[in-house]
Amino acid sequence: MIEKVSGSRNGSLPARFYDQNSSRCQQPSFTGGASYTKEITDGLYHAKTIRRMESLKWLKGEIGGILITALGTGMVAPIFIGFNPFVKPPKNATPEQKEETQNTKLYTAMRQPISAVLAILFQASVQKYIDKGLDKVFNDPEIAKYARVNLDQSRLNTESRIKDTIDKEMKQEGKKKPSAIRALFSKKAEQERNAYKDDFNARVKARKESQLDKIASEFEITGKITPGKNSMPDSKIAELVNNQIDEYIRGARKLQKSAEGMIPRYLDRADIIIKNKETLNRILNPIINKGSVTVEELDTLIAQNKDNSGVKLLLEEIKNKPEDLRMHRIKRTIDRIGLIENLCDGNYERDIYRQKLIERNNVLEDIISQLSEQKIKDPKAADANSIKDAIDKIAKICNFEKRPDAEKEILRNTDMFGNKFETIKSKIFKDVTTRYKKLVERNYTSWNQFTKIGVGVLITLPITCTALNWVYPRFMEIFFPKLAGVKKAQQAQKEQAQVGGDK
C-alpha cells in the first residue's frame, strides 16, 4: 500500500484516514489526493541545495540551451582547436613554420569566443520577442479568434501571459520585487523578496485555476469547451472524454494488487509488521517524536534486536535508505500497522488479509469494465448531449455512496472516487477541460519551437554569420595584431603566388 508520508504517534493513524462521520478508518489515497512534494522537499537534509537547483530550471528552455552551447563554444572549443595535436607543421619544419602553424591554430581558436558572444547577442535576445509575439497572437481575443481552436488561449492564457498580467497588477498596487542584490546583503530584503515571490506565485496559481474553473463550469452546463470565440468540435471533445476514461482505468489498475507478485509481498510484510507491532511502536515512536535518527542509533537498535529477524530486517531497510528518506520510512512503517488492522476490521489474519486484497481486485476489475463500456463508440457522431450523458454515467460509476461498506473502504479517499455524485461529475468535467488545456499547451509549444527554428535559420543565423565575418578580423587586428598579422601575411603570400601563376 501507499501510505501517508507524515505519520501519527503511538501507532494511531493520521487524522486524514478517518471519516468525519464515522469512527472507522478510511483507506489510504492511492491516486491523486493531496500532494506532499513540498512537505517532503522541505524536510530533506539537502532542501536548500534542492531549492537552489530548482532556481536553475530555466536553463532547460531555449535561452538556457543557447547559453550552454555558447559556453561550450566560447570556453571549451578553443582549447581543443588551439592545441589540436592532429594539426602539425610539415616534417623537418623550420622554427618559423612551427610558429606559423601554432599561430594559425590560435587564430582559428579565437574565432569561437567571438562566435559565442554574437550567438548570445543575436539568437538569445530574439527569443524573448518571439515568445511575446506568440503570446500576443494566441492570447489576444481579437487575434486568437482567427487561429485554430486548439491554439486559442484567449481564455486559458499561457503561463507567461498570466505572469506578465500579475506583474503589472502588482506594480499598480505599488508592490515591487526587491532586488536580488539587496537580498544578498540584507535579511529583511531577503524576507521581503521571498514574501513577494510567494504572493506572486499564489496569484499566478489562483488565476490559472479560476480560468480553468470558468471554462469547466461552462462545459458542464453546455457540453461545449469554449476557449475563445469558437468552441472545440464535439468530436474532439468526445476523444478527450475517451482519453480521460483511459486515465481513470489506469488509476484503477494501480489500485489493484497482482496475485502473483504484489499480494504475496504484501502478505509477507504484513506478517512481520503485525507480529512485531508492539516492538515497532516502542522503538520507532520515540524516533518520530524526536524527528531525527542517526546511523549509530540504528546500529544500536539492530544489535538490540538481532534475535528478532523481522524487526532486524525492517531496521536494516531503514538504515539502508538515503539519509533524506529514513524518517519517511519510519513513519510509514508505523502508519501501516493501523492500515493493515483496519483493512481486517481489527482482526488480522494472513488469509483474511489475502481475501481482502483479492476482493479489492475484483471490485476494481468490475469498475474498470464499467468504465470501458462508457467510452463514446463513435466520437465523430458525438454531440454536446451525448458527451454530457457519457460524463454523467462515468460519475455514477465513480460514486460509491450506495455501495456496500466493504467496497466503500476500498474506494474512499482516492482521487477518482467519491460519495457525492455532483462533486464527482464536476470534477470529471474539470479533468476533461484540464486535458484540453494540456493539448493546447502542446500545440502552442510546437508552434513556438517551429517559429524559433524558422527565425533562427532564415534570420538570426545569417545575421550572426555575417556579423562574425565582419567583426572577427577587426577584433583580432585591434586586440591580437600579431596573430592577425600572420594571417594577413599568409593571405598576401597566397595572392602573390596566384598572380605569379597567372603570369
Side-chain angles (χ1 to χ4, degrees), residues 120-298:
I120 293 174
L121 288 176
F122 290 106
Q123 294 180 32
S125 61
V126 77
Q127 302 294 313
K128 177 181 178 181
Y129 296 100
I130 293 176
D131 288 333
K132 285 189 173 293
L134 291 177
D135 269 359
K136 177 70 174 177
V137 169
F138 296 119
N139 287 271
D140 189 309
E142 294 304 314
I143 303 176
K145 65 183 180 182
Y146 298 109
R148 292 186 309 181
V149 68
N150 60 0
L151 282 170
D152 189 342
Q153 301 189 80
S154 55
R155 298 181 66 203
L156 285 172
N157 299 149
T158 58
E159 185 171 349
S160 55
R161 178 77 165 200
I162 291 175
K163 286 183 175 180
D164 285 343
T165 303
I166 298 297
D167 183 60
K168 292 176 182 178
E169 291 174 357
M170 293 183 72
K171 285 179 179 178
Q172 291 175 353
E173 296 173 13
K175 296 182 179 181
K176 295 184 179 179
K177 185 177 183 180
S179 70
I181 296 176
R182 280 186 56 212
L184 289 174
F185 300 99
S186 169
K187 189 68 175 177
K188 182 179 179 181
E190 181 184 7
Q191 292 173 346
E192 291 175 351
R193 182 177 172 84
N194 290 336
Y196 176 93
K197 289 167 64 176
D198 290 342
D199 185 17
F200 179 84
N201 291 334
R203 293 189 186 208
V204 170
K205 182 179 179 180
R207 184 66 54 85
K208 290 164 69 174
E209 281 296 316
S210 66
Q211 289 184 349
L212 187 65
D213 286 339
K214 188 171 183 179
I215 301 295
S217 296
E218 293 176 1
F219 178 31
E220 186 171 358
I221 296 170
T222 64
K224 298 278 189 179
I225 295 178
T226 310
K229 182 178 179 180
N230 302 310
S231 297
M232 188 78 170
D234 293 333
S235 60
K236 299 299 181 183
I237 298 177
E239 291 176 4
L240 292 175
V241 172
N242 285 347
N243 291 336
Q244 191 60 46
I245 292 175
D246 288 335
E247 184 68 25
Y248 293 149
I249 290 174
R250 284 191 290 271
R253 292 270 184 219
K254 290 179 181 179
L255 291 174
Q256 291 181 308
K257 305 291 179 275
S258 167
E260 297 78 17
M262 295 182 68
I263 286 182
R265 290 200 300 270
Y266 274 78
L267 293 173
D268 291 342
R269 185 48 53 96
D271 286 343
I272 295 173
I273 289 176
I274 298 302
K275 178 182 177 182
N276 298 285
K277 64 178 181 179
E278 289 80 8
T279 303
L280 291 172
N281 276 318
R282 176 174 53 80
I283 292 174
L284 300 182
N285 275 310
I287 295 175
I288 296 174
N289 291 327
K290 189 175 69 168
S292 63
V293 65
T294 64
V295 173
E296 292 74 19
E297 289 172 333
L298 289 171

Side-chain angles (χ1 to χ4, degrees), residues 13-70:
L13 287 172
R16 71 185 286 258
F17 289 130
Y18 289 91
D19 191 284
Q20 294 178 351
N21 299 318
S22 173
S23 61
R24 288 178 58 82
C25 298
Q26 295 184 12
Q27 280 298 103
S29 176
F30 290 86
T31 60
S35 172
Y36 299 102
T37 303
K38 186 177 185 301
E39 288 83 349
I40 293 174
T41 302
D42 290 343
L44 298 181
Y45 180 76
H46 302 294
K48 290 185 177 179
T49 302
I50 293 173
R51 283 194 290 268
R52 291 193 188 99
M53 293 175 66
E54 181 72 12
S55 67
L56 297 176
K57 66 181 181 180
W58 60 274
L59 286 173
K60 295 195 304 183
E62 290 88 353
I63 299 292
I66 292 171
L67 293 177
I68 292 172
T69 302

